[in-house]
Amino acid sequence: MTASEKPAPHPLFKLATELGPLVIFFGANAKFGLFVATGAFMVAIVAAIIASYVVSRHVPLMAIVTAVIVLVFGGLTLFFHDETFIKLKPTIIYALFAAALGIGLLLGRSFIAIMFDQMFNLTPVGWRLLTIRWMVFFAGMAVLNEIIWRTQSTDFWVSFKAFGVIPITAVFAMAQTSLIKRYSIAPATDEASDLERGDITKG
């Protein structure tokens, strides 16, 4: 099945699979505490991945990586009954994404197309600039998560994770629109691989 043949999920469905697990995490924490919330979050994120695949026959790599880390650190949280693991999870995810983008730059590739499942195409300069921006953003979010969970209450951290991270990310993503438009070239085709679209070695 080519990219053009993949069923396009309704925007509300996509929003539900992205926000649903976080809302469940927040609600369960408010009523039952962090450990029950962690278990509920693990179940919800697996359900979201399955639902996404059933509807669109495709799951973005970023979502898969996030789900794996949630299951690993959520499992450690429940096994050791230590909330530190689940609080470290966002830091690990952001640091991994930042590192992956940095490694891609060193290899002359932008991994943005793979990580975010994007369909646009940019000039080499555009890919490079967009990758650097997202790399810095992820590194900053890793630091921010560390500051919040180490200095604030668990309830505040959960609230920030559920209702702060997505708006911050959305605002940052929208702020990249002008860069994408400025360096956008011919639309990516099904024949072009993600790595070909992310080539930053030319120009």
Side-chain angles (χ1 to χ4, degrees):
M1 178 180 290
T2 65
S4 61
E5 294 173 334
K6 293 174 184 174
H10 192 281
L12 290 179
F13 173 81
K14 190 172 186 298
L15 186 65
T17 57
E18 292 176 354
L19 290 182
L22 289 175
V23 172
I24 290 173
F25 182 60
F26 175 80
N29 177 75
K31 190 166 185 178
F32 303 108
L34 185 62
F35 296 108
V36 172
T38 297
F41 187 43
M42 293 167 67
V43 173
I45 204 161
V46 170
I49 290 289
I50 294 173
S52 180
Y53 181 77
V54 169
V55 171
S56 65
R57 296 299 177 186
H58 173 71
V59 180
L61 178 61
M62 191 172 183
I64 295 174
V65 172
T66 299
V68 170
I69 295 177
V70 166
L71 294 178
V72 170
F73 281 82
L76 290 172
T77 297
L78 298 179
F79 183 80
F80 291 104
H81 206 68
D82 186 345
E83 62 185 32
T84 301
F85 292 105
I86 196 64
K87 290 179 176 179
L88 275 173
K89 185 268 299 178
T91 301
I92 300 300
I93 289 177
Y94 293 133
L96 281 176
F97 288 154
L101 293 179
I103 291 172
L105 287 174
L106 293 176
L107 296 175
R109 297 289 180 182
S110 170
F111 292 154
I112 291 291
I114 299 175
M115 292 177 65
F116 293 95
D117 199 35
Q118 293 170 328
M119 297 304 292
F120 56 79
N121 197 14
L122 306 178
T123 66
V125 173
W127 279 123
R128 189 179 301 111
L129 291 175
L130 187 63
T131 300
I132 291 173
R133 289 186 182 187
W134 276 104
M135 181 180 66
V136 172
F137 173 78
F138 283 132
M141 290 298 288
V143 172
L144 181 59
N145 183 70
E146 283 295 292
I147 292 173
I148 289 179
W149 84 260
R150 292 179 184 276
T151 63
Q152 304 300 316
S153 68
T154 294
D155 286 344
F156 183 91
W157 174 79
V158 171
S159 296
F160 170 74
K161 177 177 172 58
F163 303 111
V165 170
I166 289 182
I168 290 173
T169 304
V171 169
F172 178 81
M174 287 187 291
Q176 310 315 306
T177 302
S178 61
L179 182 149
I180 293 172
K181 288 182 178 179
R182 186 182 312 127
Y183 294 101
S184 181
I185 54 179
T189 63
D190 293 339
E191 290 76 19
S193 69
D194 288 325
L195 287 180
E196 288 172 334
R197 290 199 293 271
D199 186 3
I200 62 174
T201 59
K202 304 171 185 176

